[in-house]
Amino acid sequence: NAGVTQTPKFRILKIGQSMTLQCTQDMNHNYMYWYRQDPGMGLKLIYYSVGAGITDKGEVPNGYNVSRSTTEDFPLRLELAAPSQTSVYFCASSYSKNTGASTDTQYFGPGTRLTVL
Amino acid sequence: DQQVKQNSPSLSVQEGRISILNCDYTNSMFDYFLWYKKYPAEGPTFLISISSIKDKNEDGRFTVFLNKSAKHLSLHIVPSQPGDSAVYFCAASFLLGYSGAGSYQLTFGKGTKLSVIP
C-alpha cells in the first residue's frame, strides 16, 4: 500500500509559468484535499473533493484549479505562477462514512516543494 | 485571524520526562480536535484526536486534554523519547456539511517543534 503519493517532490517555476501537481491515493478514499504550508505557518486548505466529479474551494483557492475525474487522482493546477505561491503543497485523503459526525483521519502525502522565481 | 494558536514555536525536553504541548482556539463551533506529527521532508501523520464531548483521550504514551470553557487543549507525552522529536500541529475541525455528508476541513496551528534530548 503506497498510501498518498505526490509528484514531483521539488519544482522551480518562473513567474507566469504553469504546472500540475499530481496526487494519487490507493486507499479507495472518497475525500481528497490540497493544502499549502508556508514557512513557519500551519497548513491551509486550498481545495477539497468529496468524490469523483465534485470539488469545492477551501480557505485559499485563488490561483489554483483542481479536477477529480477518478477516485484515485486529484491534480492541482497552478496557472500563471506567482512568487506568493512558493510553498510546500500537501495532498491528503480520508474516508467518510457519511454519518454526519465524522471522525475521519486525513492521510497526507510527502509534499511537493515549489519555488516560484 | 488565527483560529488555532500554538504559542510556543519550540520546546526542549529531557528524555524520559513529560512533554506538554499547548493549543488554544477561538472558534466555539469547532467540535473535533486532532494532533498531527510531522518529520522533516514528510507529510503530517495523525497522532491522536478528541471529540468536544470528551475532556480526555489516551493512547499509549500520548494523552490529549480538552478544556472547552477555556478553549484550550494540550498534548502530553510521557515518557518522552528521542524519536518523538518532530513538529506537532494542533488542528480543529467542523462539519463541512456538503450534501449532508460528513467530513472535516482541518484548521491548523503553526506547529510546535519538540526536541527530546537524550
Side-chain angles (χ1 to χ4, degrees), chain A residues 10 21 28 43 46 54 57 79 87-88 93 97-98 114:
Chain A
F10 304 95
L21 282 67
N28 202 30
L43 284 73
I46 305 171
I54 306 169
K57 296 177 181 179
E79 305 282 0
S87 191
V88 181
S93 70
K97 302 179 185 68
N98 297 333
L114 176 67

Side-chain angles (χ1 to χ4, degrees), chain A:
Chain A
N1 238 358
V4 179
T5 57
Q6 293 182 238
T7 56
K9 284 187 168 51
F10 304 95
R11 184 72 186 267
I12 298 174
L13 283 182
K14 294 182 180 177
I15 294 172
Q17 286 185 321
S18 301
M19 77 164 294
T20 299
L21 282 67
Q22 301 292 345
C23 174
T24 300
Q25 54 93 7
D26 63 359
M27 298 175 283
N28 202 30
H29 286 170
N30 49 354
Y31 284 56
M32 295 187 75
Y33 314 82
W34 274 105
Y35 293 88
R36 60 177 286 174
Q37 185 190 12
D38 299 331
M41 302 295 288
L43 284 73
K44 293 189 176 181
L45 185 67
I46 305 171
Y47 270 95
Y48 68 95
S49 168
V50 299
I54 306 169
T55 63
D56 206 350
K57 296 177 181 179
E59 184 181 355
V60 289
N62 291 343
Y64 307 95
N65 278 300
V66 293
S67 59
R68 184 97 181 269
S69 56
T70 66
T71 300
E72 295 78 19
D73 300 304
F74 190 40
L76 178 72
R77 178 80 178 163
L78 277 73
E79 305 282 0
L80 299 174
S84 61
Q85 293 179 303
T86 294
S87 191
V88 181
Y89 291 84
F90 292 100
C91 179
S93 70
S94 66
Y95 178 72
S96 170
K97 302 179 185 68
N98 297 333
T99 57
S102 172
T103 58
D104 311 319
T105 297
Q106 293 187 20
Y107 295 85
F108 285 81
T112 293
R113 185 176 294 274
L114 176 67
T115 302
V116 182
L117 300 174

